[in-house]
Amino acid sequence: MLHLSRLTSLALTIALVIGAPLAFAAQPAPAVAPAGTAATSKAPLPLEELRTFAEVMDRIKAAYVEPVDDKTLLENAIKGMLSNLDPHSAYLGPEDFTELQESTSGEFGGLGIEVGAEDGFIKVVSPIDDTPASKAGIQAGDFIVKINGAPTRGQTMTEAVDKMRGKIGQKITLTLVRDGGTPFDVTLARAVIQVKSVKAQLLESGYGYIRITQFQVKTGEEVSKALAKLRKDNGKKLNGVILDLRNNPGGVLQAAVEVVDHFITKGLIVYTKGRIANSELRFSATGKDESEAVPMVVLINGGSASASEIVAGALQDQKRAVVMGTTSFGKGSVQTVLPLNNDRALKITTALYFTPNGRSIQAQGIVPDIEVRKAKITSEADGEYFKEADLQGHLGNGNGGADKPTGSGSKAKAMPQDDDYQLAQALSLLKGLSITSGR
């Protein structure tokens, strides 16, 4: 199976699988390279190096301060063999292999909270709806100060998350602090968590917003449903759509292809090149553009990686969307998962992927068409001016319209773009594109 590497995100879901998923393509890769390729075993074995390996292993067993069994030494040797190839190749033990398989399904066993780090503490970013965390009343902004009685301060994110993982049905007690108040305990049981990778809403009438947090097996299907819902909520064809891929660390390659396919009618989406025959893949549009060709803006940043870069690069090369934000991460390699015996596997880099115009994103990233850096939005008090409608004896509208004196406007509902500078800029650009395109 082909996949794109997992990268650690700031906000992590407390689950059996933590962080972004590893991506799989539609076609499974063979466990061995086909005959006639560069990966054949015709080259003679390096006997001298093998003798050295055996000697080192023997010396460790004889002289190391504590006894070490052969199984441990050999597994460590395999891990070293893979880890020194590149940052994304690895040896997967049974637990890691299971996590990888579960992470791509979007279904996890855990508590249902996303967490981040703040000032050395573990902070709840968001509880997921209809999960043990949300049902127990855990709120965004709560600080987790203890896990089963053990303080979390000073622990890394990974260490804290590992302690919150466990078997489905197993209970765990979190000690929380809310709004600087007195610590209190919440006991809850781990459960199967289904996490949607796509969120969508109307930012304003006519302008849709789709956020993809990671690429899972069902992400393409979820984007299709999101587009349909946005059209329904709007009551007519959209004027434009924003696709937010910021801090999306990647995921399922096939899902990335499906997402692009929802926005273009024809053309190449992505292709891969490697040493073995089955690493040469090409993915093209099927002609099922579900976006109705409305103006589009794609948001990216330094946390957009792998599958996110495939989507942004394809839509940019096909002139389908304006890419806005900051340069992406630059992870342009594809890994193949090769299952081994005893529920183990190798994750090994087998190819590089390229955008439709032949760009390799590896170690360079996607450069946005319009650079917009993250900034903080502060609202100034807007003192209302005295208006004509405030004057005693003023004339009516003439067309029958209602008067609009000072203070008559209703307070606008808080929206995501209100405190997100990059999103606000994307919406402004989208409105301009909509106007100039005559929509």
Side-chain angles (χ1 to χ4, degrees):
M1 295 180 178
L2 295 180
H3 66 89
L4 308 174
S5 177
R6 175 169 60 186
L7 301 168
T8 303
S9 57
L10 177 62
L12 301 173
T13 300
I14 309 305
L16 291 179
V17 180
I18 305 299
L22 301 166
F24 294 82
Q27 303 170 353
V32 293
T37 68
T40 59
S41 58
K42 292 182 179 179
L45 292 173
L47 297 179
E48 188 62 34
E49 285 73 15
L50 288 173
R51 290 192 186 96
T52 301
F53 176 84
E55 183 179 359
V56 169
M57 185 172 172
D58 186 60
R59 294 289 180 89
I60 292 174
K61 291 174 62 179
Y64 188 65
V65 64
E66 295 179 351
V68 186
D69 60 77
D70 292 342
K71 179 181 177 181
T72 300
L73 289 174
L74 290 171
E75 288 219 344
N76 288 341
I78 295 171
K79 291 177 182 177
M81 195 186 309
L82 272 294
S83 64
N84 281 290
L85 293 176
D86 66 75
H88 307 294
S89 295
Y91 170 73
L92 305 176
E95 183 178 343
D96 292 331
F97 190 28
T98 299
E99 287 182 3
L100 182 151
Q101 293 170 307
E102 291 176 339
S103 67
T104 60
S105 68
E107 185 174 285
F108 312 129
L111 304 180
I113 47 178
E114 295 179 354
V115 297
E118 184 174 305
D119 299 328
F121 290 98
I122 305 300
K123 183 179 181 179
V124 176
V125 174
S126 175
I128 300 170
D129 293 342
D130 300 320
T131 64
S134 63
K135 292 175 181 177
I138 294 177
Q139 300 179 9
D142 288 348
F143 284 93
I144 302 174
V145 295
K146 291 183 181 180
I147 302 171
N148 285 334
T152 59
R153 183 167 177 79
Q155 295 183 20
T156 65
M157 176 80 71
T158 301
E159 289 171 341
V161 166
D162 284 343
K163 289 183 178 179
M164 286 186 271
R165 294 187 299 178
K167 294 181 179 180
I168 294 173
Q170 191 178 61
K171 291 189 176 182
I172 181 173
T173 298
L174 303 180
T175 302
L176 307 174
V177 171
R178 181 174 299 162
D179 299 328
T182 304
F184 62 95
D185 290 343
V186 174
T187 300
L188 57 169
R190 298 175 179 90
V192 174
I193 310 299
Q194 291 185 327
V195 181
K196 286 189 175 181
S197 62
V198 177
K199 301 175 182 178
Q201 70 178 93
L202 288 174
L203 297 178
E204 290 183 9
S205 178
Y207 297 96
Y209 171 71
I210 298 176
R211 162 80 177 144
I212 304 179
T213 56
Q214 58 187 23
F215 287 88
Q216 299 172 348
V217 172
K218 296 182 180 180
T219 298
E221 178 184 337
E222 289 179 19
V223 168
S224 176
K225 292 179 180 178
L227 285 168
K229 185 177 186 301
L230 288 172
R231 286 193 296 270
K232 181 179 178 181
D233 292 345
N234 194 51
K236 58 182 179 179
K237 185 176 180 178
L238 295 170
N239 295 329
V241 64
I242 295 172
L243 181 64
D244 190 352
L245 301 177
R246 291 173 298 174
N247 297 318
N248 181 324
V252 179
L253 174 59
Q254 185 64 34
V257 172
E258 291 174 6
V259 168
V260 177
D261 199 22
H262 291 321
F263 295 99
I264 63 176
T265 56
K266 62 181 180 179
L268 187 62
I269 294 175
V270 65
Y271 67 95
T272 63
K273 293 171 63 176
R275 293 174 61 208
I276 57 179
N278 71 320
S279 65
E280 305 279 338
L281 301 172
R282 295 177 69 87
F283 299 91
S284 297
T286 63
K288 59 176 183 179
D289 178 9
E290 298 183 20
S291 67
E292 301 180 300
V294 299
M296 183 178 184
V297 175
V298 177
L299 281 172
I300 61 171
N301 63 6
S304 306
S306 201
S308 299
E309 294 170 294
I310 288 177
V311 173
L315 294 173
Q316 187 179 53
D317 280 4
Q318 295 290 0
K319 305 297 182 183
R320 176 62 185 89
V322 176
V323 178
M324 178 182 280
T326 55
T327 302
S328 62
F329 182 79
K331 196 272 179 183
S333 61
V334 180
Q335 284 69 47
T336 301
V337 176
L338 305 176
L340 303 173
N341 295 325
N342 301 322
D343 298 322
R344 290 166 170 77
L346 298 182
K347 176 168 68 79
I348 187 170
T349 301
T350 55
L352 295 178
Y353 67 78
F354 297 82
T355 70
N357 288 349
R359 291 183 293 163
S360 172
I361 300 165
Q362 179 61 25
Q364 292 188 359
I366 295 292
V367 178
D369 299 307
I370 302 175
E371 182 178 66
V372 178
R373 295 192 171 276
K374 187 176 181 180
K376 186 175 182 180
I377 296 179
T378 55
S379 299
E380 294 184 3
D382 186 16
E384 291 198 67
Y385 295 96
F386 196 70
K387 298 179 180 179
E388 172 74 12
D390 296 317
L391 297 175
Q392 186 175 3
H394 66 272
L395 296 175
N397 177 257
N399 284 333
D403 290 350
K404 293 184 178 180
T406 302
S408 62
S410 58
K411 188 175 181 181
K413 176 184 176 183
M415 297 299 288
Q417 65 269 28
D418 294 343
D419 56 4
D420 186 333
Y421 178 71
Q422 290 174 316
L423 181 56
Q425 292 298 300
L427 180 58
S428 296
L429 174 61
L430 194 60
K431 290 180 179 178
L433 294 173
S434 176
I435 294 170
T436 55
S437 67
R439 295 183 185 279

